[in-house]
Amino acid sequence: QAFFCLLLCIPWGSSCPPSCQCTERAGAKAVLCSSQHLEEIPKDIPRDVVFLKLDANSITRIPSNAFRHLSHLEEIDLSRNAIEKIDRAAFKGVAAGLRSLDLSSNRIRSIPKEALLALNAKLRLANNPWHCECALQEVLWEARLDLDSVRDITCHTAPRQEYVGKPLLQVLDAGVNFCSVRQRTMDVAMFVAMFAWFAMLIVYVVCYVRHNREDSCRHRDYLSSLPSAQPRAE
């Protein structure tokens, strides 16, 4: 009974993930998991953590609701990992309270803008192999990016070769608008679809008229082949 009483008296947030260190900084709990060869975000992070360092690991993905149970979380450091994919709801549950998010020096090519635009946190996105596109442009204009790292957001790939290797901010300052390019592409696709639909309608009408004409000709030929009716004798 004393053992079960002891278990009940232990707070849920008191455990610490293996290979991590749990400390307190100015009364706020910090979980330090730097350089521990982690391949995913630990599941047993204390609920009352405020500062979370997961930098210099081998994490490849941030799944949906990865931090949802960490309602006190204010800072996340995920720099120097191998992150390639970030789900749309990766930061669901912590968006309101998060103040700092470091995603620099990963392998991120693209990111759902919904994952970042809901955040109030200051973002660090530098030194990733970004594909310059509309979503990244919207993040640059609308999210709270760390000003010192904005110049290091570089186009690793882009719709046009002349943008490759250039800082995204420099490309946008030159008047390029990736969102208008996407809009033009959508307009062209819609025009092609409408043209195809119109062509199919014309083909259908032509086939319908031709079919009715052939039926009329066959019916006329059939009537002309019938013997003429002879008048009855009185």
Side-chain angles (χ1 to χ4, degrees):
Q1 290 179 348
F3 174 73
F4 286 109
C5 181
L6 180 63
L7 287 180
L8 291 174
C9 291
I10 296 176
W12 284 102
S14 63
S15 62
C16 193
S19 303
C20 298
Q21 294 181 349
C22 295
T23 62
E24 285 196 8
R25 292 162 42 185
K29 179 163 289 187
V31 177
L32 313 178
C33 308
S34 305
S35 305
Q36 296 299 316
H37 307 290
L38 299 176
E39 296 183 356
E40 61 181 16
I41 297 169
K43 306 293 185 184
D44 49 356
I45 298 172
R47 294 177 179 271
D48 53 350
V49 63
V50 176
F51 307 102
L52 178 59
K53 286 186 66 66
L54 293 165
D55 55 304
N57 283 291
S58 302
I59 299 170
T60 59
R61 179 190 174 200
I62 307 178
S64 297
N65 303 310
F67 309 99
R68 188 172 186 176
H69 63 293
L70 309 177
S71 58
H72 300 281
L73 198 56
E74 294 182 7
E75 295 185 15
I76 307 175
D77 186 354
L78 284 159
S79 63
R80 296 183 295 151
N81 273 278
I83 298 171
E84 296 181 354
K85 180 175 176 56
I86 299 177
D87 291 357
R88 294 177 183 274
F91 304 104
K92 186 175 182 179
V94 297
L98 203 62
R99 295 190 292 108
S100 175
L101 173 61
D102 193 341
L103 293 169
S104 59
S105 301
N106 277 281
R107 300 176 184 173
I108 307 170
R109 296 190 70 252
S110 62
I111 190 170
K113 63 180 182 180
E114 296 84 358
L116 297 183
L117 294 185
L119 298 176
N120 293 320
K122 183 178 291 187
L123 304 175
R124 296 181 66 88
L125 303 176
N127 301 318
N128 280 286
W130 289 108
H131 174 67
C132 288
E133 57 181 349
C134 181
L136 182 59
Q137 175 180 320
E138 291 179 340
V139 168
L140 185 65
W141 291 143
E142 300 180 37
R144 291 186 57 220
L145 296 181
D146 181 80
L147 297 179
D148 294 333
S149 66
V150 170
R151 65 177 63 91
D152 293 322
I153 300 177
T154 304
C155 296
H156 185 74
T157 57
R160 297 177 61 173
Q161 186 63 30
E162 61 189 276
Y163 307 145
V164 175
K166 293 183 178 180
L168 176 59
L169 194 61
Q170 177 183 336
V171 174
L172 297 179
D173 284 344
V176 177
N177 189 334
F178 293 106
C179 295
S180 66
V181 171
R182 185 180 68 173
Q183 184 62 43
R184 288 198 300 270
T185 302
M186 292 177 62
D187 291 343
V188 170
M190 185 173 295
F191 175 78
V192 171
M194 291 180 62
F195 179 80
W197 179 85
F198 186 68
M200 289 176 61
L201 180 62
I202 292 177
V203 170
Y204 173 79
V205 171
V206 170
C207 292
Y208 179 80
V209 171
R210 182 177 297 175
H211 180 72
N212 285 348
R213 183 179 298 172
E214 291 175 353
D215 283 348
S216 298
C217 291
R218 283 196 296 269
H219 185 66
R220 187 173 62 249
D221 293 342
Y222 172 75
L223 292 178
S224 63
S225 66
L226 294 176
S228 300
Q230 299 295 328
R232 295 183 179 180
E234 292 291 336

